[in-house]
């Protein structure tokens, strides 16, 4: 095993910062893993890249992501740019035999994602679509309960991801409002996390029907255009930029095992800030979760004595799977950083062991297929089968 | 104004008990209303009817509902029998010029309900489909906020009605599991209340898509067959009786005003007992409610100062619309009885004033149209328009 | 057994209304109990008394409570007047051999209450101090768990009763602000309920220390003086009336069994409406409750598997003790009325059977002793033993 | 300004790990602060110290804390050892002119703490008692509301810190159960945080009354004795070690401004894991908080329109004070790490600017005075004034 792995971070925004600091503190939690050397951080401008290098502890900065990937001392490429650049960078990194982490959604279309998954399989490297929320202790405990059979056969799943950041009047256009840059709107940005949880906890989705709505059809041109892909700048010509993605997306679906599911993703749910929420009901019990109270898992066992049966509020901590690596006291609170630490720890472990992670590009592609079927259904108002098969996916 | 109105209660089960005691205590809350004389209660057996008369304070009992309705001293007929007898009894009562209260759903099909609504319009009497939950103080406050414009234009509505009573293995068949008696399963039984709230708070529904599932396909023959319609007894021949209605029903829909909606109704949500829940998000705020905490309304105003914005938990009481008739202290708790008192008070007031109520048979028919479109969609997997038009409905 | 018992209601305010309607609907819930004939209702003015008789269904009204009690056809006297008249009326009723229900606190001082308890024991009738909150299904389930040993030995109890009705500026003086009429302020008015729960669930209190505060020292003279005792009218001379009772009361105490307790009662807790709340922690588990969510009991069992341990939210209904008499569906909600029905049902049953109720005058006296020790401690800043002994009390 | 400050971490346990990683990631959040060079980490054994150095990124390790402090390249000494060694190490560091961070409680007695505060004032360095919980975004928002006058004059404060880790039978003795090592039990360990919040939000405490209980009087001798102070090993002679501190502590107190307060700290509250909870009611509103839902602040404004008044659940994020340094989306969750980052950031800023922090040793001493008065009151059962005066304290 290499004692140190070289990292190139492509992007220095919020996610670049977050992934960087998670890599920085990995050794505090997983003493057995190889150390990650933060070698180079890339952004579109020298200023941004060099500011990132300084703040996040990289040896160097660059505006040339290809050159950064080419370096011999780079083992891992972490892609935290807007969605429309994911594919190009990831495929280049795969072609160079690098291990690749990519923010979700990994591509703009299912076809692109499938091609990425195919190239990843050829490259025999570790790939990861960064579905970090499933790494939360409460959700890992939920998965443990499902795997134990504690809730029996799954019957219904309801997934919500509600935010309200898009509501303020006059909020400028940004790349998350453009189909060319983002692929979809609330569906890909946040709904994809809820779908990831659906697949993780219940299994493959076989067919979907969907509807979407764009609440605000155009937005003021942003003063500064911070997207990675400079070609998008063309849209700055006018004062208002059209919003051509969904602000709200709703869907119903069937899982391959017969369970029924619903999905709601919106940026217009006043008062909901990061409300990633699910409830899974099975023949022997239920589990429920809400990210805004991410330290809690709700679990009801139908085998508890009837007069004292009810949802248990489990305050998570060291007793949950993976929790032993964090704080010794339950309820002290693990939140966002810890999910990043866990997923990057899983990734580095897979690199060390020549293994793979749960949310590899094949999984990312599978989620993309589901979303694409939903977008098609929102257009033609029909039920759509989800392409691909269980055997193609490493989901769950 | 008559100082006293004569009541015939058709059915002496749980709902018969509940409506009877609500009528009994009406004067404590509405001193201005005519008193209701509980003249006769009807059930299939002498024993049940006479037990009901004794326990609920009726002057007499009977097993002949036609004779009871025929009586000159009967002004109001209250139908609290299984769904398959609603239409016949209601139409008879209308033909005799009586005011009619009918439990929901008022009929087994939309065509039946539409015919009932037509006859009700002809009869020029007061009719009511007993959608009691909307009479809860929290929901009346929600309606007030919507009408004030406090949440702006509605964008999304999510309605849930989750129970788990059907889960225990070996639970015997009852009329709620039979299409002939109940029309539908969870959809009509509980989902109808969530749809009532959707229409009440947001407006007419224009189109729907749905899916349903029957989790347990057959159930043990019940030892005693307590349904009102004796022809159903034929199914007792075997030890297991098929369940031919939905245990779970999910739907998406569009409101006429463009808002998006989802519905989930299930009898298999372990740990959820009477979880009638909704969230309505609009352009200026949101409201949310859950019957299991029926004293609370959640309300978020997007115009609150940003750093102290959030859902307010309003503990309801005398300040909410209609609450001045109940307890002087907020939070003392109003629950199920109070909704019955309120809806029957509204009904008696309409009888007194020659007016009408919000949830008349036209409204009941409208809800039935929505449900029938959902059942059709669950069969043919297509979006279905909802027949009828806003002008036909007195909804909201 | 008499098939009917005659009732005299002394007071026609909120509590008179509430008790009256609970008596009215008793037969719906307890078919086996004697019926209660509402014979006479008493108030200070003819108008109030006769309005009460009409609204609540009494055969007659009166302004002479002694005459009403004297009547041969009166078996039960229900006292729902301000606190300062409780003793005189109750002692008169006892002297006439009537069964007596009295709102809490039953007296202004512990000595008065002890004398009432002594007279009650002599009279060999059924007496009841109306601590209705303990009749809530959630609290009855809590008691069942404690009695089963489910939480082991009690260690700590925290009781809160928080309201905010006294906060609005300019709120007029009423009898609840006067020591002569009310005995104490928040302590007796609401704190007494929390103390009742402490004694019910944990056992006798042996010593206390306390502090109190009067936030608003005087209040505007009320326009109409609605108190029962006309001598209080003297204070109307000036425009401001002094508040000589506690607005907030806090206490610590020790139970006889060694458990530690705290109490907080206040009328100045902004946002808390009827927040009667407790948490009881024992060596094997905990229970917690809040009246504002009165349909829920929280229960944590330390013997649940460690990784899925947590407070269970039990949604109460027919499975809880006494719940079989109410609605067939858990979570449908029982609230305030149901506690009144239950306590009055218990009372009538005791009358029928020649038994007694949990909260008889001896119990009421015991609670009064605790409160008096607290008021003394608030004065002299010392720990005070609670007079009397366990054997004198029928508590729990 | 120095561009880099040298750090000596004294202790490599949980807190050593936590503080170390907070220092490591400081630059991600506060680009303007000097960097912290992790120069040396100290523990009792070579193995522990060197493991810490490796895992947490220190240049060197040591078992000699005096030598570590003596080094010229050390600017900051961070003391995260058991309580009984705090004073000796802190006073040595002060004598060498180093800036000192010390875990709370900073000393075993009030006299010791006062002496430490005196030496700190002489030394003209930055000192900090590590009351990290107040750095939570929700609590900083609470402080902002209090300072704005949003809740008016404070009336009552209830502080709880409930855990249940001490409940399992057979749990071995550790230093937190010994008075010689810990000073007190639940009071100092966790109650001190609740007291810190009381003083922060309401102001100085003038007098207290208290009671305590030791639930389990002795505990099995631990197999390995991991405490820092080796003299404690003497107690290993027998198989059971006495517990001579409080398992539960309750107190009432008065603030200098007249507000009333209560405190409850326990290690025996089954189901409560890290339940640091407070409610502060004032003349114009209330705020409430619970660490187990640390992303939420509850706030009720008495000036909201009466029918839509209620506690707002504020989901915290970038709009709260200091939140702009963390994640861009509210509700993404800040928890334990973020409080450590904030408090260490505040400390480094004070070092840079020659300023001070809110929770300096004078503040730590003030909290110690309150606790000592409580422990004395638990012994002699009297109200105790809190020594010192507002002018001596920098609290709030």
């Amino acid at each position: 095993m290499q004692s140190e792995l070289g990292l190139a971070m492509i992007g220095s925004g919020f996610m670049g910062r977050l992934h960087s600091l998670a890599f920085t503190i990995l050794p505090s939690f997983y003493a057995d893993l190889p150390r990650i050397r933060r070698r180079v951080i890339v952004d579109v401008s020298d200023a941004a890249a060099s500011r990132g290098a300084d703040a996040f502890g990289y040896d160097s900065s660059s505006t040339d992501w290809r050159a950064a990937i080419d370096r011999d001392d780079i083992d891992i490429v972490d892609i935290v740019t807007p969605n429309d650049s994911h594919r190009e960078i990831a495929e280049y990194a795969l072609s160079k035999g690098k291990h690749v982490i990519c923010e979700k959604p990994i591509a703009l279309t299912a076809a692109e994602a499938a091609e990425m998954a195919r190239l990843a399989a050829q490259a025999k490297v570790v790939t990861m679509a960064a579905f970090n929320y499933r790494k939360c202790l409460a959700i890992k405990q939920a998965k443990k309960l499902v795997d134990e059979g504690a809730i029996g056969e799954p019957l219904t799943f309801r997934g919500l991801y509600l935010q309200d950041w898009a509501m303020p009047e006059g909020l400028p256009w940004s790349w998350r409002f453009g189909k060319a840059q983002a692929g979809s709107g609330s569906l890909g940005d946040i709904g994809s996390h809820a779908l990831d949880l659906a697949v993780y906890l219940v299994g493959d989705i076989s067919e979907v029907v969907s509807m979407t709505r764009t609440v605000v059809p155009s937005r003021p041109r942003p003063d500064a255009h911070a997207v990675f892909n400079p070609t998008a700048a063309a849209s700055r010509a006018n004062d208002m930029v059209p919003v051509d993605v969904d602000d709200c997306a709703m869907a119903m679906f069937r899982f391959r095992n017969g369970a029924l599911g619903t999905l709601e993703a919106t940026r217009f749910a006043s008062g909901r800030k990061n409300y990633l929420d699910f409830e899974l009901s099975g023949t022997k019990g239920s589990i429920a979760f809400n990210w805004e109270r991410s330290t809690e898992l709700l679990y009801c066992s139908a085998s508890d004595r009837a007069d004292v049966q009810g949802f248990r509020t489990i305050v998570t901590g060291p007793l949950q799977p993976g929790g032993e690596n964090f704080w010794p006291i339950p309820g002290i609170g693990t939140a966002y950083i810890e999910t990043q630490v866990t997923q990057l720890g899983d990734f580095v472990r897979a690199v060390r062991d020549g293994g793979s992670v749960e949310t590899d590009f094949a999984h990312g592609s599978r989620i993309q297929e589901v979303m694409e079927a939903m977008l098609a259904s929102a257009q033609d108002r029909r039920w759509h089968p989800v392409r691909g098969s269980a055997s193609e996916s490493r989901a769950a």
Side-chain angles (χ1 to χ4, degrees), chain A:
Chain A
M1 150 180 156
Q2 287 172 271
S3 68
E4 197 175 67
L5 296 166
L7 170 70
M9 181 70 61
I10 317 297
S12 75
F14 163 48
M15 275 295 162
R17 172 161 75 125
L18 193 63
H19 282 212
S20 296
L21 74 82
F23 275 121
T24 306
I25 61 179
L26 269 190
S28 290
F29 302 102
Y30 309 109
D32 59 320
L33 291 183
R35 301 302 162 93
I36 302 303
R37 178 83 185 209
R38 285 158 279 151
R39 293 205 183 275
V40 58
I41 187 165
V42 180
D43 211 320
V44 280
S45 75
D46 277 333
S50 111
R51 196 167 43 231
D54 188 52
F56 314 150
Y58 284 79
D59 298 335
S60 63
S61 65
S62 169
T63 59
D64 182 346
W65 55 265
R66 283 183 189 81
I69 292 171
D70 286 342
R71 289 168 51 160
D72 285 345
D73 59 358
I74 294 300
D75 303 286
I76 296 171
V77 175
D78 191 344
I79 306 167
V80 290
T81 55
N83 303 350
D84 57 339
S85 57
H86 288 176
R87 182 197 185 182
E88 185 176 13
I89 303 172
E91 291 189 358
Y92 188 79
L94 289 173
S95 76
K96 300 292 176 176
K98 310 293 169 135
H99 304 289
V100 184
I101 300 160
C102 184
E103 263 306 312
K104 37 56 51 186
I106 60 171
L108 295 186
T109 69
E112 284 180 16
E115 174 65 7
M116 288 166 73
R118 194 184 64 77
L119 294 173
Q122 280 183 347
K124 297 194 194 323
V125 294
V126 180
T127 59
M128 184 170 78
F131 288 104
N132 63 298
Y133 283 110
R134 64 154 72 185
K135 300 301 184 182
C136 165
L137 295 184
I139 295 176
K140 294 184 77 165
Q141 178 73 39
K143 174 68 169 166
K144 179 183 173 191
L145 286 168
V146 169
D147 288 349
E148 283 178 3
I151 64 157
E153 295 303 312
L155 296 172
T156 55
F157 177 91
R158 178 178 61 260
L160 312 174
Y161 204 145
L162 314 179
Q163 297 184 332
D164 68 359
W165 60 269
M167 291 185 70
E169 234 174 298
L171 184 82
W173 193 91
S174 71
W175 67 267
R176 291 181 196 276
F177 293 111
K179 188 179 170 83
Q181 296 79 9
S184 69
S186 58
L187 181 62
D189 188 25
I190 52 178
S192 57
H193 281 296
L195 287 173
D196 175 59
L197 298 182
V199 170
Y200 183 49
L201 295 172
V202 185
D204 270 331
I205 291 170
S206 56
E207 56 173 0
V208 306
V209 64
S210 177
M211 63 179 175
T212 60
R213 181 175 176 189
T214 303
V215 177
V216 174
S218 65
R219 302 233 172 222
R221 190 175 58 76
D223 293 339
H225 195 68
V227 307
F228 194 77
N229 186 338
T231 64
S235 56
R236 268 187 280 175
N238 299 308
D239 277 352
M240 296 296 284
V241 188
V243 174
D244 55 0
V245 296
D246 52 291
D247 285 325
C248 313
M250 292 179 177
M252 298 196 301
F253 46 91
R254 288 180 194 274
F255 292 93
R256 210 169 288 278
N257 59 22
L260 306 184
T262 59
L263 172 73
E264 182 179 344
T266 169
R267 303 163 167 177
F268 278 80
S270 182
R272 302 305 187 189
K273 299 304 179 186
N274 203 42
Y275 198 88
L276 171 57
D277 181 284
F278 72 82
E279 179 165 345
L280 168 56
S281 301
T283 52
K284 296 183 180 169
S286 292
I287 48 181
F289 172 80
N290 182 337
W291 181 265
E292 291 186 0
R293 292 174 172 174
S294 67
T295 303
E296 299 176 2
L297 180 70
L298 302 186
Y299 163 54
C300 178
S301 170
S303 59
D304 280 341
R305 200 177 82 185
D307 68 332
V308 290
Q309 204 175 102
F311 276 91
R312 303 175 188 186
T313 301
I314 303 167
V315 178
T316 60
L319 294 176
Q320 273 62 54
E324 67 279 5
N325 297 302
F326 293 102
W327 321 123
I329 301 170
I332 230 174
T334 51
Y336 198 61
I337 295 183
E338 287 86 352
T339 64
Q340 298 289 354
V341 166
T342 304
Q343 77 168 358
L344 296 181
D346 287 351
F347 183 84
V348 175
R349 190 174 301 106
V351 169
R352 180 193 69 185
D353 299 344
S356 63
V357 299
E358 290 170 339
T359 63
D360 60 10
F361 278 10
H363 175 73
S365 166
R366 189 70 182 142
I367 298 298
Q368 206 76 28
E369 293 283 0
V370 174
M371 291 195 295
E372 190 142 304
M374 287 178 176
L375 292 173
S377 173
Q379 291 299 315
D380 70 9
R381 299 163 49 87
R382 294 175 184 278
W383 280 90
H384 278 250
V386 177
R387 274 181 301 176
S389 72
S391 61
E392 290 172 26
S393 169
R394 309 191 61 264

